[in-house]
Amino acid sequence: MRKKSAARHLAAFFVLLAGIAVCLLLNISIGSVKIPFFDVFRILAGDGADGIDGRIVWEIRLPRAIAAMELGGALALSGYLLQTFFHNPIAGPFVLGVSSGAKMAVSLVLVFFAGGAAKISAAALVGAAFAGAMASMGFVLLMSRKVDSMAMLVVSGVMIGYICSAITELVVTFAEDAEIVNLHDWSRGSFSGVTWENTAAMTCVTAFASAAAFLLAKPLSAYQLGESYARNLGVDIRLLRAAMVLLSSVLSACAVAYAGPVSFLGMAVPHLVKALFGTAKPILMIPACFLGGSAFCLFCDLLARNLLAPTEVSISTVTAVFGAPVVLWVMVERRRDGGA
Amino acid sequence: MGYYFYTEKMSVGYQMRPLIEKIQIGLEKGEILTLIGPNGAGKSTVLKSIARQIKMVAGAAYIGGGSIGRMSGAELSRKMAVVFTERLRAELMSCGDVVATGRYPYTGKFGILSKKDARAVEEAMELVQVGGIRDLDFAKASDGQRQRVMLARAICQEPEVLVLDEPTSYLDVRYKLEFLSALQRMREKKGLTVIMSLHELDLAARVSDKILCLNGKYAEKFGPPEEVFADGYVGKLFGISKGSFEDGSGGVELEAPRGEAQVFVIAGGGSGRNAYRRLQREGTAFASGILFENDLDYPVAKALAAECIAARAFEPVPEETVRRAMRAVDGCRKVVCCRESFGTYEAANERLLLYAKSQGKEIARA
């Protein structure tokens, strides 16, 4: 049995990696300009990077695909941390309003401080998103002290999300006439226009935060059992909770700063990954959620770009179509198991 | 203080407001302490304070001379394991996985189990006889299995002190007994000291070396079960007014029927208990006798009968007692005889039956 589950985990990791590889290739190859697979490999090997195809691959599609990979992973991991934190299977950065808070803060900064120009530094952007995420998170934490039903917690998160979105809409409409071209697209969620500088910055943030999360795997495994049991095992609950809030906020803030809000991904992916692995152990879940988020996000971005080409669908539209049913599935499953 | 586990003026409560003050406990290594008391008396609060789940209001508790309050989390986790009433969350975990979480204090940075850890898990599961359900989903296990898995988990944490909050509440009688036997085995094998709360007073009286009685305001009594289960103290502790608690057996009887005795029960040797209880259910007040004070029927009759006519054990029944019984028969409309035949030392009861017949009372056999 031990060996069997180890084999299953190995196979599952292989599935995720293969999924990422295939989606990555498709993302680079398919688009308004079709680039055959063979050419993609040739260009990636450094041959013909200066041609039109080469520039499309290197300057547009590859950074975008990498961004989708990293941010998808970041969101899924953020969702996993939030679900663990609240012991709530339908928690996630979008559902709890954390994404919307980050979105609001970023749009405020963009409109009022940068005059709408995209010249704002990456650090300031992520910083603003982080502040917004923490503000929403703080509110949700306050609510979680008052309400102990997980449905109510999610409802309060959704309400916070609505408030933040309303403010964002207001700001965006108000600033529409000016030079803010991308703000509207961004506020609906999109990976378009990602540059190499962007990817470098997000790589730093996600790599650091994900590594930190991985180091928490052991205390998280105790925390999952419930707080009193974790405390008995010698876990410093307060410190761990603070780290979880911080890391999940950083991860979702980073995603929002560069891609805007991406709905349901953070909530849905952990469940799909759990079902694939047949376990909820953090030491497996943390890397697996990241990889699963990457694959899922690449796949959704592929659809977002090509479904109604040349018009691009917002990424949230696609993730919602695939993610929202997962929420329903989880709720039905829970009901069946008799848990609430 | 030569005790292995002891408390010094320990006061416990919530939000630093003391609920129970100045609790003094002293246990030798390997002793089993049981907390008893009515609902809401503070049993869980005391256990949680000892396990450092809630902050002690004042005073301290010590294990092997070290203050629990001053230990690091890691240190305490190797000395004390807990099983609380609140459910352990175990998403997608097998029973074996749950037990393995007890190894947490001994694993490395990433919590990977070593061969030694795996062996400890196996041993613990064998000890409480859950080795066969290692691969069963914890969520699908029965309450009894779950409780024993939780005990195995606590055991493989290799603690010196085990804190258990109502560990037997979900178990049927067979598993209750198996659970307590497992505790005794652990005590024998590893010198484990156990601190727990139980609602089953009969079990508490049998398994505990020491008992701490809590009444919601203070720790009323601390001592061996023979001191606690004596002189009707337990009935007072729980404020029993409807019915009664019997110290010797730990058994209970319902409220005695009110009014004058209608029926006289001739009993002895345990033959009358069922008749008494049937009359209690019917709500018929009765008198019973003549019972020796060491008779099996005696405690039940004392609890249920309107009048219980008893004689000192190992002595002949005095004439005065027989006359008192006859007067009681006179007051009743019916006599129930539970004895099929009368032995040499039951001559008094035989006389009583003959007397009842001569008085024309309705005689029934039980």
Side-chain angles (χ1 to χ4, degrees):
Chain A
M1 188 65 193
R2 303 257 126 184
K3 286 203 179 112
K4 225 196 235 164
S5 63
R8 177 178 180 177
H9 299 156
L10 217 65
F13 271 120
F14 179 78
V15 167
L16 290 180
L17 287 171
I20 291 176
V22 169
C23 288
L24 193 59
L25 183 63
L26 290 175
N27 264 294
I28 294 172
S29 163
I30 301 175
S32 46
V33 177
K34 296 241 182 317
I35 304 172
F37 292 156
F38 180 74
D39 288 351
V40 172
F41 286 121
R42 196 169 48 78
I43 290 164
L44 288 180
D47 186 11
D50 300 331
I52 293 177
D53 283 2
R55 291 183 62 182
I56 290 174
V57 169
W58 280 106
E59 283 168 30
I60 299 171
R61 292 194 188 159
L62 193 57
R64 177 172 182 154
I66 288 173
M69 248 169 75
E70 288 182 353
L71 300 182
L75 280 171
L77 189 50
S78 169
Y80 175 74
L81 289 175
L82 288 171
Q83 285 170 9
T84 310
F85 183 92
F86 288 109
H87 299 294
N88 185 338
I90 44 178
F94 187 78
V95 191
L96 290 181
V98 176
S99 292
S100 309
K103 179 175 95 166
M104 182 183 74
V106 170
S107 57
L108 287 175
V109 166
L110 280 179
V111 170
F112 290 112
F113 297 101
K119 291 230 166 71
I120 193 153
S121 79
L125 209 62
V126 177
F130 179 65
M134 285 300 280
S136 284
M137 191 69 194
F139 198 81
V140 173
L141 283 175
L142 272 181
M143 288 303 290
S144 76
R145 291 184 161 211
K146 302 278 174 209
V147 298
D148 47 5
S149 131
M150 66 187 202
M152 286 312 291
L153 184 72
V154 171
V155 169
S156 56
V158 169
M159 291 305 129
I160 295 163
Y162 270 116
I163 295 169
C164 294
S165 295
I167 296 173
T168 312
E169 288 295 314
L170 202 69
V171 170
V172 171
T173 325
F174 170 68
E176 190 115 50
D177 54 320
E179 53 277 276
I180 311 158
V181 186
N182 280 331
L183 191 52
H184 188 67
D185 274 348
W186 170 86
S187 75
R188 287 166 53 232
S190 165
F191 287 103
S192 68
V194 171
T195 65
W196 279 113
E197 287 104 84
N198 293 157
T199 51
M202 70 181 77
T203 306
C204 285
V205 177
T206 49
F208 178 77
S210 307
F214 190 69
L215 291 178
L216 292 181
K218 187 183 170 188
L220 279 179
S221 71
Y223 183 86
Q224 277 183 326
L225 304 174
E227 269 140 66
S228 45
Y229 292 102
R231 204 176 289 125
N232 174 245
L233 292 172
V235 176
D236 187 334
I237 302 281
R238 223 188 275 178
L239 207 65
L240 180 65
R241 284 175 69 111
M244 287 164 84
V245 168
L246 223 63
L247 289 177
S248 60
S249 298
V250 166
L251 286 165
S252 53
C254 180
V256 171
Y258 290 106
V262 180
S263 63
F264 293 107
L265 191 153
M267 190 251 114
V269 169
H271 291 289
L272 298 173
V273 172
K274 266 178 211 167
L276 182 66
F277 278 71
T279 177
K281 286 191 182 122
I283 194 139
L284 291 167
M285 276 303 107
I286 290 171
C289 280
F290 195 94
L291 294 177
S294 298
F296 189 83
C297 197
L298 278 172
F299 174 70
C300 289
D301 195 37
L302 185 69
L303 294 183
R305 286 194 302 125
N306 296 301
L307 218 51
L308 297 175
T311 315
E312 227 181 78
V313 185
S314 89
I315 182 80
S316 277
T317 311
V318 184
T319 51
V321 167
F322 291 99
V326 176
V327 185
L328 298 176
W329 167 63
V330 168
M331 290 198 297
V332 170
E333 281 290 300
R334 292 272 146 173
R335 190 45 51 89
R336 192 176 301 154
D337 290 349
Chain B
M1 290 243 187
Y3 288 117
Y4 169 72
F5 174 93
Y6 63 94
T7 60
E8 252 178 23
K9 293 186 180 157
M10 180 173 77
S11 294
V12 303
Y14 288 94
Q15 272 99 44
M16 298 315 272
R17 232 172 287 142
L19 177 71
I20 299 173
E21 293 186 272
K22 296 189 181 157
I23 303 166
Q24 298 279 24
I25 302 172
L27 297 176
E28 305 286 349
K29 194 170 171 58
E31 282 194 316
I32 295 179
L33 166 69
T34 304
L35 276 53
I36 63 168
N39 286 330
K43 300 185 291 289
S44 294
T45 315
V46 170
L47 293 176
K48 281 184 181 157
S49 301
I50 289 173
R52 225 169 65 178
Q53 294 286 331
I54 51 178
K55 229 170 142 14
M56 250 174 231
V57 178
Y62 301 85
I63 298 178
S67 162
I68 289 176
R70 295 219 189 90
M71 286 178 195
S72 72
E75 202 181 336
L76 184 62
S77 68
R78 287 166 186 242
K79 287 211 193 287
M80 185 187 284
V82 297
V83 177
F84 290 125
T85 45
E86 77 179 83
R87 277 216 176 157
L88 177 124
R89 296 166 194 271
E91 195 183 4
L92 297 174
M93 285 169 96
S94 70
C95 292
D97 288 337
V98 170
V99 175
T101 62
R103 296 303 296 169
Y104 184 96
Y106 304 96
T107 55
K109 181 84 192 110
F110 291 105
I112 313 275
L113 295 182
S114 69
K115 282 227 171 72
K116 186 168 168 263
D117 293 321
R119 214 167 30 245
V121 169
E122 213 156 289
E123 271 177 29
M125 294 190 84
E126 286 309 319
L127 198 64
V128 295
Q129 291 150 7
V130 286
I133 54 166
R134 163 190 276 279
D135 294 324
L136 180 70
D137 187 350
F138 186 70
K140 295 202 172 79
S142 72
D143 284 331
Q145 288 172 329
R146 240 181 258 174
Q147 197 75 37
R148 282 178 297 147
V149 167
M150 292 295 292
L151 181 65
R153 176 187 169 278
I155 287 169
C156 88
Q157 202 174 326
E158 292 178 1
E160 294 171 19
V161 175
L162 198 54
V163 174
L164 311 166
D165 197 357
E166 289 175 24
T168 54
S169 17
Y170 290 114
L171 304 182
D172 66 26
V173 60
R174 174 188 152 194
Y175 286 129
K176 275 189 216 289
L177 293 173
E178 282 186 9
F179 188 91
L180 295 178
S181 317
L183 280 189
Q184 290 189 326
R185 274 203 299 282
M186 286 300 301
R187 183 248 296 271
E188 251 163 64
K189 275 196 184 166
K190 311 202 169 174
L192 193 69
T193 307
V194 179
I195 302 174
M196 64 179 166
S197 62
L198 286 180
H199 269 307
E200 298 89 345
L201 298 172
D202 47 344
L203 297 178
R206 284 156 178 75
V207 77
S208 321
D209 298 299
K210 296 277 168 57
I211 288 186
L212 181 71
C213 306
L214 299 169
N215 67 359
K217 292 191 198 77
Y218 43 92
E220 224 173 42
K221 210 169 204 167
F222 172 72
E226 54 270 26
E227 276 177 25
V228 172
F229 290 90
D231 309 324
Y233 167 71
V234 172
K236 273 181 240 150
L237 174 67
F238 283 84
I240 296 176
S241 57
K242 306 254 180 269
S244 61
F245 176 85
E246 207 268 306
D247 289 327
S249 66
V252 293
E253 297 299 339
L254 292 170
E255 211 174 357
R258 284 164 211 272
E260 294 278 308
Q262 307 281 313
V263 175
F264 191 95
V265 183
I266 298 174
S271 62
R273 290 177 295 186
N274 291 331
Y276 299 156
R277 288 178 186 141
R278 196 169 52 241
L279 289 166
Q280 191 277 338
R281 289 197 293 274
E282 287 167 6
T284 312
F286 63 91
S288 185
I290 301 169
L291 296 169
F292 290 116
E293 282 172 354
N294 65 348
D295 197 284
L296 283 171
D297 285 330
Y298 177 69
V300 186
K302 243 191 125 204
L304 296 181
E307 187 183 5
C308 172
I309 295 145
R312 278 184 62 195
F314 310 116
E315 297 284 347
V317 180
E319 211 32 51
E320 155 64 21
T321 308
V322 180
R323 273 200 300 277
R324 193 153 76 88
M326 284 172 173
R327 278 200 302 279
V329 169
D330 287 339
C332 293
R333 59 177 164 81
K334 181 178 167 187
V335 171
V336 175
C337 180
C338 303
R339 302 296 294 157
E340 302 217 334
S341 62
F342 294 96
T344 314
Y345 296 100
E346 278 184 297
N349 277 345
E350 194 164 18
R351 267 177 65 200
L352 207 56
L353 183 62
L354 289 174
Y355 172 76
K357 279 180 182 159
S358 73
Q359 296 296 307
K361 298 279 173 192
E362 181 193 347
I363 309 284
R365 292 273 162 191

